[in-house]
Amino acid sequence: MRRRKIILDCDPGHDDAVAIMLAGRAPELEILGITVVSGNQTIEKTSQNALNVLQYLELDIPVYAGCGQPMVRKRIHAADIHGSSGLDGPVFPELKRTVEEEHAVTFIIRSLLSSEEAVTMVTTGPMTNLAMAMRMNPGILDKIERIVLMGGSYGNGNITPAAEFNIAADAEAAYVCFNSGRPITMAGLDVTRKALCFPEIVERMGRIDNKASKLFVDLMGHFCRTQKEVFGWEGGPLHDPVPVAYLIDPDILKTKAMNVEIDIRSEQSYGRTNCDYFGYLQREATADVAVDIQVERFWDCIESGLRRYG
């Protein structure tokens, strides 16, 4: 079986932490490195959160800290969901691991240029690191097999009526990536909001009774509570593991090819992913947009991923 080479670019974040867990021991994936960006919290905090998760799970994957600011706009965070640390809830042991000295952007460029085969870029936070790498060295484009992201929506946003957080946090970066000419799979709020982590799901994962399942339960304790406070969900939508689950089991998502444009000029709708679902504009499709998800199959994938830490 071919192991797909990936770089996971994230901003942990409770759901990013689960994405790391899912990818960490997936036999279908080979993680070249984890690159971290400012998003759910500052770059210092998201980097520490990634290290804490990897150290706890005993995953020997290097972490590269990247951009602490968006390309153009002012920095925003999601403390109302993820807390002051970006990963409130779990209590981790003393952190002994450190980030690599190399910047995430130069790591992305070096890894892509040196790879004999194309690499899939998985982004579960703002797309700043990847966009900066594209701008610094356009030669990497041919080495990107596909960009698979959690972000955007062809329906409603979650930070404004129009925009989803990861895109709105750096819409200019998303604009660069969506106009790169590389194949894109977009898993947006339209499907991730169906992956609700109800209490019975937390109980189900807790019964696995290993260190990964314990971390999952601790993460979801905070995440589901704040999601209910902010959005009224009975279970928090587990956004960021969806693109990873899709790479493990592509049948989890149903996608539709669409022309997607990132709004970087509107004041009201900045960060919106304008998805031409019905083909009104008669323009070439630029992304495969997820339109449905097999929810039970997704949770089966999460359970299988957690069990690999037994």
Side-chain angles (χ1 to χ4, degrees):
M1 179 181 67
R2 176 195 173 227
R3 297 184 72 199
R4 182 190 291 262
K5 292 181 182 294
I6 72 167
I7 293 174
L8 178 57
D9 189 75
C10 56
D11 62 335
H14 296 73
D15 46 343
D16 302 82
V18 179
I20 292 171
M21 270 194 277
L22 183 59
R25 289 192 176 172
E28 299 85 356
L29 306 176
E30 178 185 348
I31 306 176
L32 302 181
I34 290 177
T35 52
V36 183
V37 67
S38 171
N40 287 323
Q41 261 297 347
T42 64
I43 188 65
E44 294 79 15
K45 291 180 179 180
T46 55
S47 298
Q48 179 172 303
N49 292 342
L51 291 170
N52 271 322
V53 171
L54 291 169
Q55 177 179 282
Y56 177 83
L57 295 174
E58 300 179 63
L59 292 171
D60 187 19
I61 303 170
V63 175
Y64 300 84
C67 297
Q69 299 282 347
M71 295 180 77
V72 176
R73 69 157 299 159
K74 291 182 179 179
R75 187 172 62 189
I76 60 172
H77 296 311
D80 55 342
I81 296 295
H82 298 282
S84 61
S85 71
L87 204 59
D88 283 7
V91 177
F92 293 101
E94 179 186 357
L95 183 59
K96 297 180 180 179
R97 290 193 53 176
T98 58
V99 296
E100 305 297 314
E101 291 186 7
E102 187 177 12
H103 193 280
V105 173
T106 56
F107 165 74
I108 290 171
I109 294 170
R110 176 176 61 82
S111 298
L112 291 174
L113 293 179
S114 64
S115 178
E116 293 184 359
E117 60 185 90
V119 176
T120 296
M121 293 298 307
V122 184
T123 68
T124 62
M127 303 182 84
T128 316
N129 287 336
L130 180 55
M132 289 295 292
M134 289 177 174
R135 284 295 193 245
M136 285 179 66
N137 193 328
I140 67 173
L141 293 176
D142 289 341
K143 288 298 190 76
I144 298 174
E145 181 175 9
R146 178 170 288 269
I147 301 167
V148 183
L149 71 138
M150 188 283 125
S153 169
Y154 64 81
N156 295 318
N158 66 349
I159 188 170
T160 71
E164 178 274 331
F165 176 84
N166 286 342
I167 305 298
D170 195 344
E172 284 77 16
Y175 181 92
V176 170
C177 294
F178 272 78
N179 285 279
S180 67
R182 302 313 302 148
I184 295 174
T185 300
M186 177 182 125
L189 298 174
D190 318 283
V191 293
T192 64
R193 278 176 167 159
K194 297 179 181 179
L196 295 174
C197 191
F198 293 117
E200 55 266 30
I201 294 292
V202 179
E203 293 172 9
R204 170 184 169 183
M205 301 306 166
R207 287 194 293 270
I208 297 171
D209 195 25
N210 63 18
K211 68 191 317 179
S213 69
K214 182 182 184 303
L215 179 56
F216 181 91
V217 171
D218 289 346
L219 289 165
M220 291 304 100
H222 177 89
F223 185 68
C224 293
R225 176 177 56 80
T226 57
Q227 289 280 353
K228 185 171 184 178
E229 290 172 355
V230 175
F231 295 107
W233 308 107
E234 290 302 320
L238 207 58
H239 306 288
D240 291 340
V242 171
V244 176
Y246 165 76
L247 290 176
I248 294 170
D249 180 4
D251 290 335
I252 282 175
L253 292 180
K254 177 183 177 181
T255 63
K256 178 179 172 65
M258 304 182 203
N259 181 271
V260 181
E261 294 185 353
I262 310 298
D263 190 337
I264 58 173
R265 294 181 175 86
S266 166
E267 189 169 319
Q268 278 190 322
S269 298
Y270 173 87
R272 178 169 179 78
T273 45
N274 286 308
C275 302
D276 191 7
Y277 189 100
F278 294 106
Y280 296 125
L281 303 178
Q282 297 185 338
R283 293 175 181 168
E284 182 179 357
T286 54
D288 296 317
V289 179
V291 296
D292 204 359
I293 181 171
Q294 294 195 47
V295 175
E296 284 305 315
R297 194 162 179 151
F298 170 74
W299 290 120
D300 289 345
C301 184
I302 295 293
E303 180 176 350
S304 296
L306 296 183
R307 287 190 180 278
R308 293 191 181 99
Y309 295 88

